[in-house]
């Protein structure tokens, strides 16, 4: 079903090829062990399949190889993927609960009822809340908002939700990015004469669903929606689209609503990238066109965010959103209340937006300082559980660790120790924690073994959260570790493997090649940045340690006359492995870098080996 509010896009234009003399496109899998026992493995792909896709789609062999490596083998489906046309967005009315949800909101409009938009404190929830608040205002529906305080209320619905609904005399509550499991509170709201519309993307619990007027969630058991991996902000966008249709009484929305929905894709792109959903199907459309909408946004809050992050006036990437925009929006909610972040996105004037953007920037710097302190302490505590065979999952807890950063710290620890990590911030007799994992290890399954010792928990295979009593931490740790050993059986996690897409002569990594690679952008989950290996590359000048802690390396690499600037993040300690005149094998991903208005091709080194 096509998106009727968009203008159709031109067909993908085939690119010309890059020189193939230097590409190892069809090599057998070869492994090399390097830094941190990380194994290099060159992808093995079907040569004829790559050639066939290149011919049928009209792309260079290198691009065809990367597409096949990411699961794209059918020519027509691959063309649709590359086009990522908004015309390919699925009909919002295919989502379960959409008709009931839009009908109830249309009635609220007719009857002059107040609607409470109940969001969440992360990027996904904040952007989705802002999106719904804006469209309800455009449709002249009286609306107020509520986002739980992470440190006071915790996640999703609670008594605070009922209090806020009563306080604002709301007759309808619309959730964003939460609510599918909120049986108790939604039932209490109904007893108070308040209807609830849930918009969410989390897995549904087993058994009956809450007594909501509608649950709009692509992951419901009976859902037939064509794409289940939407983020919460995208589900909110679908509700906005469906409501605009309902109010007009036609499949095609009004010109005013069409303009709003196109601009609102900026919100959805931020949510899609930061919630790390696969950038495939309509998520690719949201990310690609949403980034363009963000670049040209007239929204004062979004413009202020771009300015404070030094991103205004340049072409944006998913990486810009993930590392610059998202953390600033998240900072407010991580340290307690997401109020400032939402106020920024709802700001109607530049002065207010600039002030709030500065506030968020200050909060983000504070968040980084707190994160650094907790990470140092968590590393030290992890030393008590150094034996990975005995402790295949790190379960760390400490009084005073800020609960707003435990998820980030858990992610850092998984990278450093190569094991899943659960990090819990204790506050007196209770604590809240977050879990992250490595590879395909299902962290929620491991955590479920500790259910008798937990007050509350939930999440999915890659990340989860919990609430626990302080005196239950040791028992929970034992239960998780025991379950992890059972799941792993062999007694350890598979060694880290760095999968290389292709061998490429260094002199072939050119601006022209990079422009071809842009066909595959934006990159992210499910559409990973390409990794190349170049052999016998040399330093063009001595390496330079950079960064506040001098833990990054700035390099200039050459082969013959071809020189590229390179950054090796987190590799400051490896400076001694590098010397002028010594050849290197380098694994890297290319990128554009814009500085002072000038854009140049650079590479980001992921690993290297010295051929001394």
């Amino acid at each position: 079903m096509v998106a009727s509010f968009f203008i159709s896009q031109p067909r993908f234009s085939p690119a010309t090829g890059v020189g193939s003399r230097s590409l190892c496109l069809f090599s057998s899998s070869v492994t090399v062990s390097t830094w941190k026992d990380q194994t290099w493995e060159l992808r093995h792909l079907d040569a004829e399949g790559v050639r066939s896709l290149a011919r049928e789609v009209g792309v260079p062999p290198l691009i065809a190889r990367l597409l096949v490596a990411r699961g794209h083998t059918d020519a027509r489906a691959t063309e649709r993927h590359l086009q990522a046309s908004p015309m390919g967005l699925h009909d919002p009315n295919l989502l379960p609960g959409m008709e009931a949800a839009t009908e109830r909101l249309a009635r609220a409009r007719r009857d002059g009822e107040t609607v409470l938009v109940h969001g969440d404190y992360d990027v996904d929830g904040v952007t989705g809340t802002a999106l719904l608040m804006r469209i309800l205002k455009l449709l002249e529906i009286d609306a107020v908002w509520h986002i739980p305080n992470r440190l006071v209320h915790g996640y999703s619905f609670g008594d605070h939700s009922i209090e806020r609904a009563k306080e604002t005399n709301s007759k309808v509550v619309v959730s964003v990015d939460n609510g599918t499991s909120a049986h108790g509170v939604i039932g209490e709201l109904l007893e108070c004469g308040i209807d609830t519309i849930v918009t969410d993307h989390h897995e549904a619990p087993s058994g009956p669903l809450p007594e909501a007027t509608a649950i709009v969630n692509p992951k419901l058991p009976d859902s037939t929606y064509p794409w289940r991996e939407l983020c919460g902000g995208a589900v909110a966008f679908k509700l906005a689209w469906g409501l605009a249709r309902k109010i007009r009484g036609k499949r095609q929305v009004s010109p005013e609503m069409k303009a709003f929905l196109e601009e609102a894709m900026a919100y959805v792109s931020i949510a899609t990238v930061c919630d790390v959903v696969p950038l495939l199907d309509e998520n690719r459309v949201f990310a690609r066109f949403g980034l363009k909408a963000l670049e040209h946004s007239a929204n004062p809050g979004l413009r202020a965010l771009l300015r404070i992050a030094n991103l205004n006036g340049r072409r944006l990437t998913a990486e810009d959103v993930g590392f610059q925009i998202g953390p600033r929006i998240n900072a407010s909610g991580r340290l307690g209340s997401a109020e400032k972040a939402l106020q920024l996105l709802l700001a109607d004037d530049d002065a207010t937006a600039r002030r709030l953007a500065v506030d968020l920037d200050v909060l983000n710097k504070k968040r980084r300082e707190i994160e650094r302190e907790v990470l140092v302490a968590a590393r030290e505590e992890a030393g008590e559980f150094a034996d990975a065979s005995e402790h295949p999952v790190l379960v760390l807890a400490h009084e005073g660790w800020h609960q707003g950063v435990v998820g980030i710290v858990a992610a850092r620890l998984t990278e450093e120790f190569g094991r899943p990590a659960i990090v819990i911030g204790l506050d007196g007799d209770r604590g809240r924690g977050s879990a992250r994992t490595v590879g395909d290890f299902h962290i929620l399954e491991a955590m479920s073994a500790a259910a008798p010792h937990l007050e509350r928990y939930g999440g999915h295979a890659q990340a989860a959260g919990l609430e626990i009593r302080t005196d239950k931490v040791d028992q929970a740790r034992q239960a998780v570790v025991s379950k992890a050993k059972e799941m792993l059986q062999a007694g350890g996690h598979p060694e880290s493997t760095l999968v290389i897409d292709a061998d490429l002569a260094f002199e072939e990594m050119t601006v022209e090649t990079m422009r071809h690679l842009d066909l595959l952008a934006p990159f992210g989950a499910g559409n990973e940045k390409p990794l190349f290996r170049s052999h016998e590359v040399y330093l063009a000048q001595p390496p330079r340690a950079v960064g506040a802690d001098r833990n990054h390396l700035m390099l200039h690499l050459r082969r013959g006359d071809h020189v590229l600037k390179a950054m090796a993040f987190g590799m400051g300690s490896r400076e001694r492995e590098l010397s002028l005149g010594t050849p290197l094998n380098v694994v890297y991903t290319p990128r554009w870098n814009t500085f002072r208005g000038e854009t140049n091709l650079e590479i980001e080194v992921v690993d290297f080996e010295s051929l001394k």
Side-chain angles (χ1 to χ4, degrees):
M1 191 65 65
V2 299
S4 59
F5 63 86
F6 282 102
I7 300 171
S8 61
Q9 299 296 313
R11 187 178 183 277
F12 168 69
S13 177
T16 57
V18 295
S20 59
R21 62 182 174 83
S22 57
L23 299 181
C24 181
L25 294 180
F26 315 119
S27 299
S28 299
S29 178
V30 178
T31 60
V32 178
S33 292
T34 60
W35 186 41
K36 291 186 178 179
D37 296 322
Q38 186 168 234
T39 298
W40 293 3
E41 181 177 318
L42 186 64
R43 288 188 190 273
H44 176 67
L45 300 173
D46 175 60
E48 182 51 40
V50 172
R51 281 192 290 265
S52 175
L53 192 71
R55 183 173 58 253
E56 293 181 42
V57 179
V59 293
L62 177 60
I63 302 304
R65 176 178 174 83
L66 296 173
L67 286 165
V68 171
R70 284 149 184 76
H72 303 285
T73 54
D74 178 78
R76 294 192 66 180
T78 300
E79 285 191 344
R80 288 195 297 271
H81 172 78
L82 292 173
Q83 290 169 8
S85 169
M87 300 301 291
L89 289 177
H90 304 304
D91 189 327
N93 284 83
L94 295 176
L95 279 165
M98 182 61 72
E99 180 60 33
T102 55
E103 177 56 42
R104 183 63 185 89
L105 288 172
R107 177 154 64 90
R109 181 175 184 261
R110 289 193 303 270
D111 296 347
E113 295 174 323
T114 298
V115 175
L116 173 65
V117 180
H118 189 298
D120 184 32
Y121 42 65
D122 68 0
V123 174
D124 197 12
V126 170
T127 52
T129 300
L131 191 160
L132 288 185
M133 286 296 296
R134 285 196 173 277
I135 193 168
L136 292 175
K137 180 180 179 180
L138 278 174
L139 293 172
E140 299 181 334
I141 297 175
D142 183 41
V144 293
W145 58 267
H146 173 63
I147 293 181
N149 183 299
R150 179 192 292 264
L151 305 181
V152 176
H153 304 132
Y155 171 71
S156 191
F157 283 80
D159 291 342
H160 54 90
S161 312
I162 300 170
E163 292 170 10
R164 178 64 170 157
K166 288 181 175 179
E167 171 191 306
T168 55
N169 196 31
S170 297
K171 297 302 180 184
V172 183
V173 174
V174 181
S175 75
V176 179
D177 192 29
N178 68 97
T180 302
S181 301
H183 294 78
V185 175
I186 290 176
E188 289 184 52
L189 285 168
L190 186 60
E191 290 175 5
C192 296
I194 301 169
D195 294 328
T196 301
I197 296 168
V198 171
T199 75
D200 197 3
H201 70 122
H202 294 97
E203 297 288 351
S206 58
L209 294 170
E211 295 181 275
T213 298
I215 301 180
V216 184
N217 184 338
K219 292 181 180 174
L220 291 186
D222 60 350
S223 173
T224 58
Y225 192 72
W227 176 246
R228 72 191 307 270
E229 298 299 332
L230 295 174
C231 67
V235 178
F237 176 91
K238 294 286 182 169
L239 177 62
W241 182 3
L243 181 58
R245 277 180 169 183
K246 172 66 72 173
I247 297 301
R248 195 180 192 211
K250 296 181 179 180
R251 285 183 56 79
Q252 192 165 11
V253 303
S254 69
E256 182 185 24
M257 287 296 106
K258 174 180 178 292
F260 169 80
L261 291 168
E262 289 173 343
E263 292 172 5
M265 288 187 78
Y267 290 135
V268 187
S269 70
I270 296 171
T272 296
V273 169
C274 293
D275 218 52
V276 201
V277 291
L279 296 188
L280 302 170
D281 203 276
E282 57 184 347
N283 287 345
R284 177 170 165 82
V285 179
F286 283 132
R288 187 176 180 186
F289 282 85
L291 286 172
K292 293 178 182 177
L294 182 57
E295 287 175 17
H296 304 292
S297 178
N299 179 280
L302 293 177
R303 286 205 310 266
L305 267 177
L306 293 177
R307 277 194 298 269
I308 202 76
N310 295 315
L311 295 173
N312 52 313
R314 56 177 279 184
R315 183 175 62 178
L316 298 176
T317 67
E319 205 165 40
D320 292 328
V321 169
F323 287 96
Q324 299 294 331
I325 300 299
R328 286 174 167 85
I329 296 174
N330 249 342
S332 178
R334 285 197 181 280
L335 300 186
S337 169
E339 181 176 340
K340 283 187 184 295
L342 184 56
Q343 287 175 340
L344 171 66
L345 297 183
L346 294 177
D348 290 322
D349 64 276
D350 289 335
T352 300
R354 282 195 296 270
R355 174 177 57 79
L356 289 167
V358 170
D359 289 347
L360 287 186
D361 198 50
V362 170
L363 284 172
N364 192 44
K365 290 173 182 174
K366 182 179 179 182
R367 186 269 307 167
R368 286 201 298 261
E369 292 171 4
I370 294 170
E371 176 194 328
R372 209 161 19 238
E373 292 170 2
V374 175
L375 180 58
V376 169
R379 279 197 195 111
E380 184 176 342
E381 185 165 315
E384 300 176 25
F385 310 100
D387 188 343
S389 62
E390 286 300 313
H391 297 278
V393 175
L394 288 170
V395 182
L396 310 176
H398 203 278
E399 177 68 29
W401 284 355
H402 198 293
Q403 295 170 357
V405 303
V406 290
I408 306 174
V409 171
R412 298 279 189 270
L413 293 176
T414 62
E415 294 172 3
E416 293 182 21
F417 289 87
R419 283 181 269 168
I422 301 174
V423 180
I424 304 167
L426 301 176
D427 182 9
D429 62 354
R430 291 182 178 273
R432 288 198 181 106
S434 288
R436 299 294 185 271
T437 193
V438 294
D440 296 327
F441 184 82
H442 200 303
I443 190 61
L444 185 60
E445 182 181 345
M447 187 186 288
S448 66
H453 313 298
L454 303 177
E455 298 290 296
R456 188 180 183 195
Y457 75 100
H460 49 79
Q462 295 293 307
L466 62 85
E467 294 180 11
I468 189 172
R469 292 187 61 85
T470 299
D471 58 5
K472 297 290 186 180
V473 170
D474 289 340
Q475 292 165 280
R477 179 186 292 113
Q478 291 170 8
V480 170
V481 165
S482 177
K483 179 65 175 179
K485 288 179 180 178
E486 176 189 318
M487 291 166 65
L488 291 167
Q489 294 182 337
H493 297 281
E495 67 178 359
S496 175
T497 301
L498 189 61
V499 180
I500 299 165
D501 286 301
D503 276 330
L504 183 68
F506 194 66
E507 59 270 26
E508 288 289 345
M509 180 44 65
T510 63
V511 168
E512 181 186 12
T513 301
M514 187 63 190
R515 286 175 180 152
H516 293 313
L517 294 173
D518 283 342
L519 295 169
L520 305 179
F523 299 109
N527 187 43
E528 291 77 14
K529 293 186 292 185
L531 282 182
F532 300 110
R533 176 172 58 185
S534 292
H535 296 275
E536 297 188 358
V537 177
Y538 293 81
L539 291 175
Q541 55 186 261
R544 184 156 65 95
V546 296
D549 301 321
R550 296 178 61 80
N551 58 342
H552 310 308
L553 293 177
M554 180 186 293
L555 310 172
H556 288 81
L557 301 177
R558 69 170 178 83
R559 183 173 171 85
D561 295 330
H562 188 62
V563 179
L564 289 175
K565 180 182 175 183
M567 289 298 302
F569 294 106
M571 298 189 199
S573 62
R574 301 185 66 192
E575 184 177 1
R576 63 184 180 277
E577 300 176 39
L578 300 167
S579 59
L580 292 171
T582 300
L584 305 167
N585 290 339
V586 183
V587 179
Y588 60 91
T589 186
R591 65 178 190 174
W592 296 114
N593 182 43
T594 300
F595 183 67
R596 293 179 178 173
E598 185 176 341
T599 300
N600 292 295
L601 172 63
E602 294 183 358
I603 64 172
E604 182 179 326
V605 175
V606 178
D607 201 358
F608 66 85
E609 60 173 347
S610 176
L611 303 178
K612 291 182 179 178

